[in-house]
Structures are given as C-alpha cells and as structure tokens.
Amino acid sequence: QVQLQESGPGLVKPSQTLSLTCTVSGGSISSGGFYWNWIRQPAGKGLEWIGRFYTSGSTNYNPSLKSRVTISGDTSKNQFSLQLNSVTAADTAVYYCARVHYYGSGSSGDTFDIWGQGTMVTVSS
Amino acid sequence: EIVMTQSPVTLSVSPGERATLSCRASQSVSNNLAWYQQKPGQAPRLLIYGASTRATGIPARFSGSGSGTEFTLTISSLLSEDFAVYYCQQYNIWPPWTFGQGTKVEIK
C-alpha cells in the first residue's frame, strides 16, 4: 500500500525559503503513470494545487506561484521535494503531498488518490 | 483559471437523511470533476472521479452526477462518519487544477 509522508521545518521566517520533502513508501516515484504533487491549505480555507513532478523530471506549476516554486525528485531516496522562495505570512498553511494515478490499471484520471497526512508550516519572524 | 463554486457553504442534515451538495464550474469541465471528503485534522479523501465513478472502497451511498458546469454529490442516507467538509475539483483545464471552497455537512 502506497503511503506518503511530508517532512520539513514547521516554522520559516519571512523572505526565506520553505523546503519540504515527501517520502513515498510502498511504491516507486519512478513508476510510470503517476504524478507527484504538492497541495496546500491555509487554516479554515480551501485547497490550492501548487505543482507536480513526473518521473521524467518534468514539472508543472500553478501560475500564481510559478515564479517562486521548484518541485524536484530524488529517485534514489524515493522522495520528491518542494521549495517555495520569498515566503510571506500568506504562505502559512498545511502542506500536503499527493499522488495522481493518471494512467494504467486503477487510474482515476488527474485526481489525487493518495495523500500524505499534511504538515503545518508557519511563516513568522 | 476555472473557478469552482460550491453551495451551500454549510448544510445541516439529520443522520439518516439525504444530503445534496452542488458544484458549479465557471466554464465547462466536461466530466472531469472529482469530489473529496475531509474530516478535521485529516487529509482529503477521494470519493468520486469522472463526475460519477466512486473511488476504490467508497460506499454506494455516495453518488455523483452532472457534466459541463453543474455537478451534484448526493449522500443517500447520512451516517455519523459522513459529517465533514466536501470539496469538488476540476481537472479538465489546467494549469492549475482548481478546487471549490468546500461545503460543510453538519449534524442538524
């Protein structure tokens, strides 16, 4: 059973870089047919898709965050990571990593079928 | 960017009753619409994709319908574990994938 687990600092200072890692167990990020995503949720608010990583190394980002975001993968560690630069208080949120199973048996299209538990990141001095 | 609008914001329902949640897209998303359930302190869980296909392990009391710009999630007979926030998500036109603001289903 595939599981995702986020990790990283819970507190980041304004103007600095937020860095999170998602460790995947029970499956490989190198397997075809999957995208690996980051999604965030400010307290009491809705969900915002940040971007995704594909095993080929390709990435796609939310245009509203594109200038500040980098998502990358480390197949040797079976992890993918999020970097968000120049953070402000508006970036305070629970950050989730999530899988999209877009192709192959059991796929559900571009929907997020497996999620990590989420990690709270606060931007404050 | 496609804007997803959910209604109502809050739905008060008694256990055993039927709940009907709506989601409207600012432009057609065909049937590329998903529904998620989120309980306090938990990650969202995929319920429905393709507007009407239940995800693995989702009980039959959850059903989805609609296409184009108007979609509905119906919970036929609410159980206590169904009280949660529900989100719709379009995956027809990107970037970005977008979510609705959520409907909270609370106990009446």
Side-chain angles (χ1 to χ4, degrees), chain A residues 38-55:
Chain A
W38 287 98
I39 295 164
R40 69 181 182 179
Q41 184 175 36
K45 296 189 178 181
L47 299 156
E48 180 179 34
W49 177 75
I50 298 171
R52 70 185 186 184
F53 166 83
Y54 183 61
T55 185

Side-chain angles (χ1 to χ4, degrees), chain A residues 41 52 60 96 110 112 116, chain B residues 36 38 43 87 89 91 94 97:
Chain A
Q41 184 175 36
R52 70 185 186 184
N60 303 103
Y96 296 100
D110 278 323
F112 307 101
Chain B
Y36 300 83
Q38 187 178 34
Y87 294 95
Q89 175 229 338
Y91 53 101
W94 75 282
W97 303 140

Side-chain angles (χ1 to χ4, degrees), chain B residues 28-45:
Chain B
S28 176
V29 297
S30 186
N31 68 334
N32 294 312
L33 191 285
W35 290 93
Y36 300 83
Q37 176 194 67
Q38 187 178 34
K39 296 179 181 179
Q42 296 184 17
R45 176 175 70 144

Side-chain angles (χ1 to χ4, degrees), chain B residues 9-91:
Chain B
V9 173
T10 303
L11 184 61
S12 297
V13 186
S14 298
E17 290 188 340
R18 183 186 193 94
T20 302
L21 290 67
S22 296
C23 176
R24 174 178 292 178
S26 59
Q27 64 187 85
S28 176
V29 297
S30 186
N31 68 334
N32 294 312
L33 191 285
W35 290 93
Y36 300 83
Q37 176 194 67
Q38 187 178 34
K39 296 179 181 179
Q42 296 184 17
R45 176 175 70 144
L46 178 65
L47 298 176
I48 301 283
Y49 64 93
S52 61
T53 302
R54 281 188 299 277
T56 302
I58 301 304
R61 65 181 182 273
F62 291 93
S63 63
S65 63
S67 66
T69 62
E70 301 283 344
F71 301 88
T72 300
L73 174 69
T74 301
I75 312 171
S76 60
S77 180
L78 275 159
L79 301 180
S80 57
E81 62 256 36
D82 299 334
F83 292 96
V85 179
Y86 293 82
Y87 294 95
C88 61
Q89 175 229 338
Q90 70 81 20
Y91 53 101

